[in-house]
Amino acid sequence: MKRKITFVICLLYGLLFINAGLNKLFNYIPPPDDLPEAVVKMGMAMAEIGWLLPLVAVAELFGGILVIIPRFRALGAVVLFPIVMGILLIHLTTAPSGLPMALVVLGVLLWILYENREKYGALVKNRQNY
């Protein structure tokens, strides 16, 4: 039963990021009219850079797909971690109305990281043969 619940949560989480990445590439969901000015300026700056928005979109797509596949879930969580930190920081600093959802997204990511903690052991293990 736990495996099924985990899969459904990770499926929804992955689809959230796949949708966000596709929206960044194809712009099919219009932004809300009541966005804070700082968020609009930041979005325009990211779009003006040219390569940054597509990079974030591809990372969201890649991470979302990996989170859905149980074998690659740990890698998907690592790919999505900096994106989720950016989401959290944006909502902490400029758009606090979205903070509850950002905290849910962070909570699910932390749960995925915790559930896959044994897979990260080799990354943080103290090795003497460097």
Side-chain angles (χ1 to χ4, degrees), residues 35-109:
L35 283 177
E37 186 178 338
V39 173
V40 173
K41 284 182 180 180
M42 184 197 63
M44 290 184 349
M46 287 177 66
E48 192 170 320
I49 291 173
W51 57 267
L52 185 57
L53 221 48
L55 176 67
V56 173
V58 168
E60 286 177 341
L61 283 168
F62 187 60
I65 291 168
L66 291 176
V67 162
I68 294 172
I69 304 168
R71 180 177 177 164
F72 300 109
R73 192 165 289 148
L75 177 59
V78 170
V79 169
L80 291 175
F81 187 79
I83 294 168
V84 172
M85 290 298 106
I87 292 169
L88 182 65
L89 289 172
I90 287 169
H91 289 293
L92 280 171
T93 59
T94 58
S97 63
L99 190 58
M101 183 62 181
L103 291 173
V104 170
V105 169
L106 175 65
V108 173
L109 180 69

